[in-house]
Amino acid sequence: MQKLRSVKGMNDILPEQMPAWRRLEETFRATVERHGYQEMRSPIVEPTALFVRSIGEATDIVEKEMYTFTDKGDHSLTLRPEGTASCVRAYLQHSAGERSPVTKWFYMGPMFRRERPAKGRYRQFYQAGVELYGDPGPYTDAEMIDMVVSMLRDLGVLDVEVLINSLGSEGSRERYREALLAYLLPLRDSLSAESQARLERSPLRVLDSKAPEDQEIAEGAPRILDFLDEADQTHFDGLRATLDALGTPYRVEPRLVRGLDYYTRTLFEVQGRGSALGAQNALLGGGRYDAMVGELGGPSTPAIGFAMGLERILMVLPEAEAPAPIDAFVIATRPELRLEASVLARDLRREGLRIDGDLRGGSLKSQLRRADKVGARLALLLGPRELEEGLVQLKDLRDKAQQDVPRAELAALILRMLER
Ligand code: HAM
């Protein structure tokens, strides 16, 4: 029979990997909560139209990467490829803007894109992100970038570069689009097939194409920053001045466009520089999307956010922590005492201790081996004598010291020994 395996590009995360995941998720959560963001969760499946309308028809994601299917009720549904569109949908659906002028949300969870799997690029991957509605910036933009940088510092991820750019608002971008197209059209035949195919629809995409022939042409292209109108320029200057005042390092990268159509003005990306990442060096990315709330039927509302790929950050995290150990391993020295061992384990767990045991029974020796295997610090031996005298024999598995401890004093003693 053919072996069953997980879907290509979709990975299991096993217990030994979880301590690093949890540390990352907890650091993210603690950081954004210190900045006033509140957690929200949206469904993993949304109406396909949500992503087509927000992410944009001529993007890689919508053109070829979405997991779209028709359900039994003939509705076109899509596994979410990112979190921003769902947040905007939820923001509008629940009239969050009417309750508070500024809304700050964060989220974590799996996203789905049918990309070609590679190191750091998966078909199911996890993102943690934030979205902020109701503040036009640029102070907020700078504060978000600074928040990201300090979170990475707390995690020990130091070898990174922050890239910023401005895509301007609609007017500036339209003028830029025309200038870029005028530059690219005569070079059309030298572009990659993919860029040629969507040149008129989205010429900006050539700028972040990975194809070497496109990159060469992009080098000489006009720069969006030369096309910003006065208000866009003031915004970008404000962002830079605030980042300078905060002491947040960054580099202006006029070719940064990112692969989603909803961005306006501020755009940013943090790239890792170590070799661990390979070609997928974008640790996180985000930007402003001041038009999306309005385009999805809501009142015009400025918005900004970012999302980071957890797998990518994990690739550059220094040394993951050891798994949480078991405090004590309960051992019945006779098979008929297994019930009593269970009661003892239950009582100690109620005191907040991490207790394991081997309810299959077995010899004392094999149970002690098992205690070692699960990383228990202590073994608690329960035999006929201990039961009769209301004791437990406590054995320190590090120095092998042994002592009788009355049941009533056991939990407190263990907590003291573990310095908790
Ligand atoms: P994005 O740049 O498409 O932006 O994705 C954000 C991050 O998710 C990337 O920087 C990367 O770390 C990770 N990522 C993306 N695709 C994959 C993949 N196939 N495998 C592993 N990791 C991946 C967004 O998704 C926007 N929603 C960000 C945003 C929020 N903009 C405004 N608000």
Side-chain angles (χ1 to χ4, degrees):
M1 196 172 67
Q2 203 188 353
K3 270 203 195 129
L4 290 172
R5 299 189 56 87
S6 69
V7 175
K8 188 172 169 195
M10 303 198 180
N11 302 312
D12 299 309
I13 305 163
L14 296 175
E16 53 272 26
Q17 297 167 280
M18 284 314 296
W21 279 81
R22 282 174 59 165
R23 179 173 160 246
L24 175 55
E25 289 168 0
E26 278 157 21
T27 305
F28 169 79
R29 189 187 293 274
T31 306
V32 298
E33 285 184 342
R34 275 203 300 276
H35 287 76
Y37 289 86
Q38 293 181 305
E39 183 162 11
M40 70 83 70
R41 294 185 190 191
S42 62
I44 282 174
V45 178
E46 296 271 9
T48 303
L50 173 65
F51 301 118
V52 177
R53 281 170 58 188
S54 57
I55 297 172
E57 254 168 296
T59 57
D60 277 350
I61 296 181
V62 171
E63 249 178 19
K64 50 188 185 191
E65 295 171 358
M66 294 207 301
Y67 282 96
T68 297
F69 60 97
T70 308
D71 78 355
K72 297 254 161 64
D74 228 17
H75 300 289
S76 178
L77 304 178
T78 293
L79 296 186
R80 62 179 186 195
E82 57 110 51
T84 308
S86 304
C87 277
V88 171
R89 195 232 353 101
Y91 175 84
L92 288 174
Q93 187 171 333
H94 305 286
S95 311
E98 284 167 28
R99 275 178 273 131
S100 161
V102 175
T103 303
K104 297 165 95 170
W105 282 348
F106 78 88
Y107 54 88
M108 278 190 254
M111 307 292 162
F112 304 85
R113 297 184 193 175
R114 202 173 184 290
E115 297 192 68
R116 196 168 44 76
K119 190 171 162 192
R121 188 170 62 206
Y122 312 104
R123 291 181 169 177
Q124 172 171 333
F125 59 98
Y126 286 76
Q127 277 188 351
V130 310
E131 310 295 344
L132 187 153
Y133 303 98
D135 182 337
Y139 305 107
T140 287
D141 309 17
E143 190 174 88
M144 189 176 284
I145 295 172
D146 186 65
M147 171 173 83
V148 158
V149 170
S150 45
M151 175 187 61
L152 291 174
R153 198 179 308 128
D154 288 350
L155 286 164
V157 178
L158 305 173
D159 198 10
V160 296
E161 187 169 44
V162 179
L163 309 180
I164 64 166
N165 192 19
S166 173
L167 285 187
S169 43
E170 218 187 323
S172 308
R173 217 177 29 258
E174 199 37 55
R175 278 187 299 127
Y176 176 64
R177 223 184 89 94
E178 278 166 26
L180 184 61
L181 208 51
Y183 166 80
L184 291 173
L185 277 175
L187 303 168
R188 180 177 211 135
D189 294 346
S190 316
L191 289 169
S192 70
E194 203 172 359
S195 288
Q196 288 188 28
R198 58 185 179 194
L199 187 57
E200 277 89 1
R201 271 190 306 157
S202 72
L204 268 73
R205 200 82 338 110
V206 175
L207 300 183
D208 70 340
S209 161
K210 291 263 188 301
E213 59 270 40
D214 292 345
Q215 288 187 347
E216 204 172 300
I217 290 172
E219 289 277 347
R223 297 158 25 119
I224 177 99
L225 292 176
D226 297 327
F227 289 78
L228 298 184
D229 67 20
E230 206 181 320
D232 292 338
Q233 188 63 50
T234 306
H235 188 102
F236 194 54
D237 292 344
L239 166 65
R240 295 189 58 176
T242 314
L243 286 173
D244 290 339
L246 290 167
T248 312
Y250 63 89
R251 177 164 70 79
V252 176
E253 173 48 74
R255 272 168 48 196
L256 181 69
V257 290
R258 303 188 24 72
L260 303 126
D261 274 355
Y262 50 63
Y263 289 119
T264 52
R265 293 193 169 166
T266 303
L267 207 56
F268 61 96
E269 189 160 289
V270 177
Q271 300 187 346
R273 282 190 292 213
S275 56
L277 283 162
Q280 317 307 320
N281 65 349
L283 296 176
L284 60 89
R288 215 161 243 296
Y289 49 100
D290 291 343
M292 201 205 295
V293 177
E295 279 165 8
L296 292 185
S300 167
T301 308
I304 181 168
F306 78 89
M308 64 181 191
L310 299 189
E311 288 88 349
R312 298 223 184 137
I313 307 267
L314 285 164
M315 287 165 78
V316 292
L317 265 196
E319 196 59 25
E321 279 164 20
I326 291 293
D327 297 326
F329 197 89
V330 171
I331 293 175
T333 59
R334 299 260 183 88
E336 65 272 20
L337 295 181
R338 264 183 283 185
L339 170 60
E340 281 76 7
S342 268
V343 172
L344 174 64
R346 196 264 324 263
D347 290 351
L348 292 171
R349 288 178 186 129
R350 282 186 179 164
E351 303 285 334
L353 290 163
R354 298 195 189 112
I355 305 295
D356 200 358
D358 193 342
L359 295 177
R360 298 172 305 174
S363 70
L364 177 60
K365 209 167 140 194
S366 77
Q367 292 189 68
L368 279 168
R369 252 204 317 271
R370 183 94 198 116
D372 257 343
K373 189 99 187 157
V374 300
R377 163 82 194 277
L378 307 166
L380 306 174
L381 277 56
L382 200 60
R385 176 186 71 91
E386 287 82 9
L387 201 60
E388 191 167 310
E389 295 177 19
L391 297 171
V392 167
Q393 212 186 119
L394 181 149
K395 185 172 169 135
D396 193 325
L397 295 173
R398 282 201 205 150
D399 59 14
K400 313 287 178 224
Q402 227 157 298
Q403 58 179 310
D404 282 348
V405 183
R407 284 280 284 265
E409 295 165 24
L410 189 59
L413 176 68
I414 295 176
L415 284 167
R416 266 205 311 284
M417 290 177 79
L418 298 171
E419 292 169 358
R420 286 224 298 266

